[in-house]
Each structure stands twice: as structure tokens, then as C-alpha cells.
Amino acid sequence: MRIIEKAKNITLVGLGPMGTSIAKAFLGGGYEVTIWNRTASKTVDLVKLGAKGTQTIQEAVTANSLILLSLTDYNAMFQVLNPVKDKLKKRVLVNLSSDTPEKARKAARWAVDNGAIFLAGGIMADPLMIGRIEAYVFYSGENAIYNKYKPFLDVLGKGIYLGTDPGLALLYYQAQLNILFTSAAGIMQALALIHSANLSAKEFEPYLNETLNTLPYFFQTTVAEVDKGRYDGTMNNMVMMAAGMDHISQASLDAGIDTRLPNAVREIFKQTVTAGFGKNGLNSIMEVLKKPKIK
Ligand code: NDP
């Protein structure tokens, strides 16, 4: 498919903290950036920096062939673009918003139905990291389109292309976010325990950092074990760790803090033992997580 072409021009839809940072990165790179946001006031500062503000979404999408979206979720994309779907022919939509892999696949089909091309993106950076060396972005969708627009997209951070299935970028993104969010919850549970004893998080900080720094050691065999489906429990087996999880739940209960998080993990550990993995290691909880019907 031939694409409407204008060099160094992009349209950006959505100006939350992430969209605003994306706009600044492209403006800083010398690109012409056309912007639209539901709440128009968020365009003001960017227009002062050189962005082209638009009054309507139609004006924004018809300005350029490359349209980046940074919205809360994919439903927002459908709400914003449905009224102008007849203007999307031959345009490239790159949705950098969070959602599920299935939503990305649905969006790709919707784009094709409307004569557009779709790439899904999952940004692995916070807004302040955009454009910096640490930032990277997962992409999936049509390979040739990704390659063509890679020089534009790399303004945001290192692009990692995962394949033609549009869902892949969000599969990797959600897998990564799962690590981040559940770890954050685990750290907060630990700090709530510390606070319950009238101690400051600061006093605990050296040991928190110790644990964080030791994670690569603890998880060095995880990937191989999970792929082989064999989980060594020689040094620490699931029966012992299920008892340990009980202690964390009970300590939280005794401390008068919320027990939902340790109780949920305790349940998974118990199920793993019940499923016959008592002598296996911690990674054997995989056997429960991938088949939640095991009781
Ligand atoms: P926000 O939720 O703060 O901003 C979302 C944007 O979506 C705003 O421009 C908002 O418009 C718009 N929006 C939401 N719903 C609608 C709707 N129904 N119709 C029109 N516009 C809508 O998100 P962020 O900017 O923080 O993030 C954007 C995306 O990037 C999200 O999907 C997020 O998960 C992802 N992301 C964010 C990171 C971060 O650290 N912030 C890190 C990595 C990814 P309005 O201004 O009018 O409310």
C-alpha cells in the first residue's frame, strides 16, 4: 500500500504526561508535530514550544501520514478515531497506549477495515526517560511499515520489533509491567510491615536495596527452569516456602495491616504443593500459574 508521505512530520493524539513528553522529544529532534488532545488546554505549552495545535481531531489526522496515539487505553483510541475513520486511508497509526494484546489485534483489524496501517507500541520508560538512552519501546505489526518508520520512532527510545502479530508488543509490555507492579506491591507490603513497628522505611532501606541488588542471583536459573518445566528444590523446596508464606500472612495479620497480597501468594504456594510440587523449587509455581484450574 502506498502511504501519504510528508518527511519529518508527525501527528500526536493524546497529551497526558507521556504524550507531552513524546511531543517534546519530536520537537527537540526538529520534527513538525501536530497535536490534538481532548482537553484542549494541554496543547498550550506545546504550541509555545513550536507544536501545531489543532481544534479538531479531523484536522489532526489529516495533517500527516504518521499518527502516534498516547491515550489511557485502546477504548479511548476507538472513541477518538471512530468519528474520523473515513479520513484514515493510507495513514499509519502507531498506538503507544497500554491495553491487552487482544485489543491491539482488534485495533489492527479495525485499522485495516478503514484502509489504514497499524503498529502497536509498548513504551518501557516513564515520561522523563523518553528520548534517553535507557528508554526502549516494543513494537509489533507489519514489518515493512515498522522498518520504514523506525527512524521516526527511534526518537522515543530504542525500538524493539517483535513480529507481525500486533498483540506481541502489548504481550511483552504487560509482562514487563506485571513484574514492575507486583514488585511494587511486594515492596509496599514490606514497608507497611516495617511502619507497623514504628520504624521508618529509611531504616530498612539498606536491606531493601540488598534484596533488589540480589535479584539477578536469585533468578539466574528461572528462565531455563521455566522453559524446561523442571524446578530444582534441593536448597529450598515448596513445602518450606509455603510455610514461609504462611508466616508472612500471619505477620501482616498480627501487625494489623492488609493481608490480601500475602494471602494471594500463599494460596498459589499452597496450590503448588497440593499439585505435587512440594519437593520442587519456587519456580514450580509456574505450573499453577499457567494452569489455574489445578487445585
Ligand atoms: P494519562 O492517562 O495521564 O493520559 C491519557 C491521555 O488520554 C490524555 O491525553 C487524555 O485526555 C486521553 N484520554 C483518555 N481517555 C480519553 C477519551 N475517552 N477520549 C479522548 N482522550 C482520552 O496517561 P499517560 O500520558 O501517563 O500515558 C499514556 C499511555 O502511555 C497510557 O496508556 C499509559 O499506560 C502508557 N504509559 C505511561 C507511562 C507513564 O509513566 N506515564 C509509562 C509507559 C506507558 P485528557 O487530557 O482530555 O484527559
Side-chain angles (χ1 to χ4, degrees):
M1 182 187 297
R2 221 181 137 263
I3 298 154
I4 304 163
E5 200 63 72
K6 266 194 206 170
K8 293 216 102 183
N9 289 4
I10 64 146
T11 286
L12 173 65
V13 173
L15 297 173
M18 184 55 88
T20 301
S21 234
I22 291 171
K24 285 179 181 166
F26 277 102
L27 288 169
Y31 290 79
E32 189 182 290
V33 184
T34 299
I35 51 174
W36 181 86
N37 194 57
R38 177 180 60 180
T39 307
S41 57
K42 289 188 188 168
T43 62
V44 174
D45 288 347
L46 289 168
V47 167
K48 282 183 194 153
L49 292 174
K52 291 175 85 175
T54 52
Q55 300 299 317
T56 64
I57 183 67
Q58 174 161 336
E59 223 185 303
V61 298
T62 54
N64 295 304
S65 61
L66 182 60
I67 300 165
L68 307 188
L69 299 123
S70 177
L71 300 165
T72 305
D73 55 25
Y74 272 54
N75 284 346
M77 180 194 89
F78 289 121
Q79 279 174 20
V80 170
L81 293 186
N82 252 323
V84 291
K85 61 185 183 185
D86 58 324
K87 307 290 178 210
L88 299 178
K89 276 194 183 59
K90 298 187 180 179
R91 297 186 200 280
V92 177
L93 307 175
V94 184
N95 196 342
L96 300 163
S97 315
S98 170
D99 217 309
T100 63
E102 266 314 303
K103 275 278 176 63
R105 293 180 190 117
K106 183 181 164 197
R109 289 192 294 271
W110 177 89
V112 168
D113 287 347
N114 290 292
I117 304 129
F118 185 84
L119 287 177
I123 300 181
M124 298 313 308
D126 74 10
L128 296 177
M129 285 162 69
I130 290 298
R132 290 188 10 204
I133 190 87
E134 305 89 352
Y136 67 97
V137 185
F138 293 127
Y139 293 99
S140 58
E142 229 178 276
N143 196 354
I145 295 298
Y146 172 72
N147 287 336
K148 182 177 171 78
Y149 286 95
K150 183 174 162 46
F152 289 78
L153 299 173
D154 281 353
V155 167
L156 303 177
K158 187 179 170 211
I160 297 172
Y161 176 74
L162 296 170
T164 51
D165 170 3
L168 283 177
L170 288 170
L171 187 74
Y172 273 56
Y173 174 83
Q174 299 307 354
Q176 287 284 58
L177 261 281
N178 179 64
I179 296 172
L180 201 59
F181 287 175
T182 57
S183 302
I187 290 169
M188 288 309 139
Q189 184 79 26
L191 297 182
L193 263 175
I194 296 297
H195 265 194
S196 75
N198 292 321
L199 297 165
S200 68
K202 188 76 194 158
E203 285 169 274
F204 185 69
E205 189 182 26
Y207 313 106
L208 167 62
N209 289 338
E210 188 67 28
T211 299
L212 294 178
N213 291 333
T214 321
L215 289 178
Y217 167 77
F218 282 133
F219 290 99
Q220 61 188 318
T221 59
T222 296
V223 166
E225 289 202 348
V226 162
D227 280 347
K228 284 185 190 139
R230 288 201 298 274
Y231 317 98
D232 179 30
T234 318
M235 290 297 146
N236 23 47
N237 65 59
M238 274 318 297
V239 171
M240 174 276 286
M241 283 181 284
M245 238 2 269
D246 263 342
H247 305 152
I248 300 171
S249 282
Q250 188 60 47
S252 295
L253 189 67
D254 294 348
I257 66 170
D258 199 293
T259 55
R260 283 174 295 177
L261 185 62
N263 285 354
V265 180
R266 179 178 66 173
E267 198 49 38
I268 294 165
F269 281 24
K270 267 192 197 160
Q271 278 189 29
T272 308
V273 172
T274 307
F277 296 94
K279 290 188 177 155
N280 291 95
L282 182 59
N283 296 329
S284 64
I285 66 169
M286 178 69 176
E287 296 300 319
V288 166
L289 295 180
K290 70 183 181 187
K291 288 182 253 171
K293 56 186 175 296
I294 293 179
K295 289 274 184 238

